[in-house]
Structure formats: structure tokens, C-alpha cells
Amino acid sequence: MKKIFLPLIICSIITACTDDSADSDGNGIIDTDERKSEMLSDAFIEVEAGLWETTTNFTDIDMPAISGARKEKLLKQISQGFSSQTCISEEEAKEPDADFFGGDGSENCEYERFDMSGQLAEIIVNCKVDNIGAAQIHLNGKIDSKEHVFDTKLTMKIPGLGDIVMDGTVQRNHIGYCPTD
């Protein structure tokens, strides 16, 4: 028993130390094929088909150009959050698209990090925002078949204003069946 157990531990440690990202070709960009492979190889949890609601709430903002009462007013506005709903088909639930976490507009984004390990996920996405600048979204959290909860850091790089950094959460919940036409 000890002879079998020790190699398993060593193999687990080596695998845990070397599998730190989906960037299999080492070019710094995690493409669609690498994200799909990461989702399938690390026992990605199948999500529930149906209607999902995504709610984003920001709890802190750091913006060099504002402070005091103006900052508090802005923080109050963004902390109210916003939400959207998405329908996920049976096919998408069984094998989610590699852009599952990218949402609309992901064609202007590059994944810097995409690491799935069972119920844990860490994703860093860099996006170009037309006529504004760039944004980096860092998600770090837990996923299961009916809920995804991420600590979130959104950094907007806007020429002339500097970096605007917002901290908060993104939560996705399965809320039922998709509406029918």
C-alpha cells in the first residue's frame, strides 16, 4: 500500500506545481482551443441548463481624479449593482463554449489566465474598449453546477484619467427554466 501511495502523492504534487495556466504554448495568450482544453481536462463542472442570472456589485473604487463626496456618490451608484440573464441550452451545459466566461464582446478580449481546477477558477481577461482605452477583469472564485461566485477586480486604463480600479463580486445563479417564445 505504501509503495502505491507515495508515487501518487509525488505525481499529485508535480501536477499541482506545473499546471498553473491553460497557456500550453507559452505565448502569453490563452486562445479558444487552450480554454476549451482547460475546461475539459480539469474536470470542469457541468452547469445546469436553463436561465442564469449574473449580478455584478462593486464595493470599492479607486480613481485618481476623484475623492471625498464625489467618490462616495460614485461608489453608491456602482454598489447598487446590475444584472443580466442568459439562457443556456442542454448542449451548452454539457460542453460550454470556450468563451463561456467572456460574454458579449469577447472578440476584443485576450485571456491572460484561465485556470480551472474542479470548483475553483481564476480568470484574467484583457479587453480593448472602443474609444475609451483598455480594461482588465480579474475573476477569482468558486463554481458549481448552479452557482458561480467570483471576487472581481476591474481595472480600466483610460488615457488622461489614469487607472480606475473597482473591486467587487460577480455572482451567476441558475434561476429556472428559459422562457419560451
mmCIF file of all heavy atoms in Angstrom, residues 151-169:
data_model
loop_
_atom_site.group_PDB
_atom_site.id
_atom_site.type_symbol
_atom_site.label_atom_id
_atom_site.label_comp_id
_atom_site.label_asym_id
_atom_site.label_seq_id
_atom_site.Cartn_x
_atom_site.Cartn_y
_atom_site.Cartn_z
ATOM 1 N N ASP A 151 -14.727 36.832 -6.693
ATOM 2 C CA ASP A 151 -14.191 38.136 -6.303
ATOM 3 C C ASP A 151 -13.688 38.745 -7.596
ATOM 4 O O ASP A 151 -13.083 38.056 -8.424
ATOM 5 C CB ASP A 151 -13.036 37.994 -5.307
ATOM 6 C CG ASP A 151 -13.509 37.502 -3.947
ATOM 7 O OD1 ASP A 151 -14.662 37.816 -3.579
ATOM 8 O OD2 ASP A 151 -12.738 36.807 -3.274
ATOM 9 N N THR A 152 -13.936 40.038 -7.765
ATOM 10 C CA THR A 152 -13.658 40.678 -9.040
ATOM 11 C C THR A 152 -12.856 41.952 -8.863
ATOM 12 O O THR A 152 -13.127 42.733 -7.945
ATOM 13 C CB THR A 152 -14.987 41.034 -9.744
ATOM 14 O OG1 THR A 152 -15.755 39.850 -9.862
ATOM 15 C CG2 THR A 152 -14.753 41.622 -11.102
ATOM 16 N N LYS A 153 -11.878 42.137 -9.723
ATOM 17 C CA LYS A 153 -11.154 43.398 -9.796
ATOM 18 C C LYS A 153 -11.206 43.844 -11.248
ATOM 19 O O LYS A 153 -10.749 43.136 -12.140
ATOM 20 C CB LYS A 153 -9.717 43.265 -9.332
ATOM 21 C CG LYS A 153 -8.949 44.595 -9.395
ATOM 22 C CD LYS A 153 -7.520 44.464 -8.921
ATOM 23 C CE LYS A 153 -7.399 44.292 -7.458
ATOM 24 N NZ LYS A 153 -7.477 45.443 -6.620
ATOM 25 N N LEU A 154 -11.799 45.014 -11.470
ATOM 26 C CA LEU A 154 -11.894 45.590 -12.806
ATOM 27 C C LEU A 154 -10.987 46.810 -12.837
ATOM 28 O O LEU A 154 -11.158 47.737 -12.042
ATOM 29 C CB LEU A 154 -13.336 45.997 -13.115
ATOM 30 C CG LEU A 154 -13.566 46.829 -14.378
ATOM 31 C CD1 LEU A 154 -13.141 46.071 -15.626
ATOM 32 C CD2 LEU A 154 -15.030 47.243 -14.468
ATOM 33 N N THR A 155 -10.009 46.793 -13.734
ATOM 34 C CA THR A 155 -9.095 47.921 -13.890
ATOM 35 C C THR A 155 -9.303 48.520 -15.272
ATOM 36 O O THR A 155 -9.080 47.849 -16.282
ATOM 37 C CB THR A 155 -7.620 47.480 -13.727
ATOM 38 O OG1 THR A 155 -7.463 46.839 -12.465
ATOM 39 C CG2 THR A 155 -6.680 48.665 -13.828
ATOM 40 N N MET A 156 -9.758 49.761 -15.296
ATOM 41 C CA MET A 156 -9.945 50.489 -16.553
ATOM 42 C C MET A 156 -8.742 51.400 -16.737
ATOM 43 O O MET A 156 -8.397 52.162 -15.828
ATOM 44 C CB MET A 156 -11.221 51.340 -16.505
ATOM 45 C CG MET A 156 -12.498 50.560 -16.304
ATOM 46 S SD MET A 156 -13.053 49.664 -17.750
ATOM 47 C CE MET A 156 -13.344 50.975 -18.900
ATOM 48 N N LYS A 157 -8.116 51.326 -17.897
ATOM 49 C CA LYS A 157 -6.975 52.189 -18.224
ATOM 50 C C LYS A 157 -7.461 53.210 -19.243
ATOM 51 O O LYS A 157 -7.665 52.870 -20.400
ATOM 52 C CB LYS A 157 -5.819 51.365 -18.761
ATOM 53 C CG LYS A 157 -5.274 50.380 -17.737
ATOM 54 C CD LYS A 157 -4.112 49.593 -18.284
ATOM 55 C CE LYS A 157 -3.551 48.659 -17.248
ATOM 56 N NZ LYS A 157 -2.939 49.290 -16.123
ATOM 57 N N ILE A 158 -7.658 54.439 -18.759
ATOM 58 C CA ILE A 158 -8.225 55.486 -19.602
ATOM 59 C C ILE A 158 -7.201 56.602 -19.763
ATOM 60 O O ILE A 158 -6.801 57.225 -18.772
ATOM 61 C CB ILE A 158 -9.532 56.024 -18.987
ATOM 62 C CG1 ILE A 158 -10.529 54.870 -18.833
ATOM 63 C CG2 ILE A 158 -10.112 57.138 -19.847
ATOM 64 C CD1 ILE A 158 -11.809 55.229 -18.136
ATOM 65 N N PRO A 159 -6.773 56.856 -21.001
ATOM 66 C CA PRO A 159 -5.790 57.917 -21.236
ATOM 67 C C PRO A 159 -6.296 59.257 -20.672
ATOM 68 O O PRO A 159 -7.445 59.634 -20.849
ATOM 69 C CB PRO A 159 -5.678 57.975 -22.763
ATOM 70 C CG PRO A 159 -6.110 56.625 -23.225
ATOM 71 C CD PRO A 159 -7.158 56.180 -22.241
ATOM 72 N N GLY A 160 -5.413 59.944 -19.962
ATOM 73 C CA GLY A 160 -5.753 61.237 -19.379
ATOM 74 C C GLY A 160 -6.373 61.154 -18.000
ATOM 75 O O GLY A 160 -6.361 62.122 -17.253
ATOM 76 N N LEU A 161 -6.928 60.000 -17.633
ATOM 77 C CA LEU A 161 -7.529 59.824 -16.304
ATOM 78 C C LEU A 161 -6.732 58.878 -15.426
ATOM 79 O O LEU A 161 -6.893 58.868 -14.221
ATOM 80 C CB LEU A 161 -8.965 59.297 -16.418
ATOM 81 C CG LEU A 161 -10.024 60.247 -16.946
ATOM 82 C CD1 LEU A 161 -11.369 59.545 -17.019
ATOM 83 C CD2 LEU A 161 -10.131 61.480 -16.056
ATOM 84 N N GLY A 162 -5.925 58.034 -16.026
ATOM 85 C CA GLY A 162 -5.175 57.044 -15.262
ATOM 86 C C GLY A 162 -5.978 55.763 -15.094
ATOM 87 O O GLY A 162 -6.952 55.526 -15.804
ATOM 88 N N ASP A 163 -5.565 54.967 -14.131
ATOM 89 C CA ASP A 163 -6.236 53.695 -13.865
ATOM 90 C C ASP A 163 -7.399 53.898 -12.903
ATOM 91 O O ASP A 163 -7.250 54.521 -11.855
ATOM 92 C CB ASP A 163 -5.270 52.681 -13.252
ATOM 93 C CG ASP A 163 -4.232 52.198 -14.245
ATOM 94 O OD1 ASP A 163 -4.291 52.614 -15.424
ATOM 95 O OD2 ASP A 163 -3.369 51.401 -13.837
ATOM 96 N N ILE A 164 -8.543 53.354 -13.263
ATOM 97 C CA ILE A 164 -9.705 53.310 -12.377
ATOM 98 C C ILE A 164 -9.840 51.853 -11.964
ATOM 99 O O ILE A 164 -9.985 50.970 -12.811
ATOM 100 C CB ILE A 164 -10.975 53.790 -13.100
ATOM 101 C CG1 ILE A 164 -10.798 55.227 -13.570
ATOM 102 C CG2 ILE A 164 -12.189 53.642 -12.199
ATOM 103 C CD1 ILE A 164 -11.882 55.699 -14.517
ATOM 104 N N VAL A 165 -9.777 51.584 -10.655
ATOM 105 C CA VAL A 165 -9.820 50.214 -10.156
ATOM 106 C C VAL A 165 -11.075 50.037 -9.310
ATOM 107 O O VAL A 165 -11.309 50.806 -8.372
ATOM 108 C CB VAL A 165 -8.564 49.883 -9.315
ATOM 109 C CG1 VAL A 165 -8.617 48.450 -8.813
ATOM 110 C CG2 VAL A 165 -7.292 50.131 -10.122
ATOM 111 N N MET A 166 -11.872 49.028 -9.661
ATOM 112 C CA MET A 166 -13.085 48.728 -8.912
ATOM 113 C C MET A 166 -13.023 47.290 -8.409
ATOM 114 O O MET A 166 -12.697 46.377 -9.175
ATOM 115 C CB MET A 166 -14.328 48.932 -9.783
ATOM 116 C CG MET A 166 -14.518 50.375 -10.197
ATOM 117 S SD MET A 166 -16.048 50.682 -11.096
ATOM 118 C CE MET A 166 -15.641 50.003 -12.696
ATOM 119 N N ASP A 167 -13.321 47.097 -7.134
ATOM 120 C CA ASP A 167 -13.361 45.775 -6.519
ATOM 121 C C ASP A 167 -14.802 45.417 -6.208
ATOM 122 O O ASP A 167 -15.592 46.282 -5.812
ATOM 123 C CB ASP A 167 -12.553 45.752 -5.222
ATOM 124 C CG ASP A 167 -11.074 45.933 -5.452
ATOM 125 O OD1 ASP A 167 -10.513 45.201 -6.287
ATOM 126 O OD2 ASP A 167 -10.476 46.810 -4.810
ATOM 127 N N GLY A 168 -15.129 44.146 -6.350
ATOM 128 C CA GLY A 168 -16.487 43.715 -6.049
ATOM 129 C C GLY A 168 -16.668 42.235 -6.247
ATOM 130 O O GLY A 168 -15.719 41.454 -6.108
ATOM 131 N N THR A 169 -17.896 41.846 -6.603
ATOM 132 C CA THR A 169 -18.217 40.444 -6.829
ATOM 133 C C THR A 169 -19.070 40.291 -8.087
ATOM 134 O O THR A 169 -19.812 41.199 -8.459
ATOM 135 C CB THR A 169 -19.009 39.828 -5.657
ATOM 136 O OG1 THR A 169 -20.212 40.562 -5.466
ATOM 137 C CG2 THR A 169 -18.203 39.819 -4.379
#
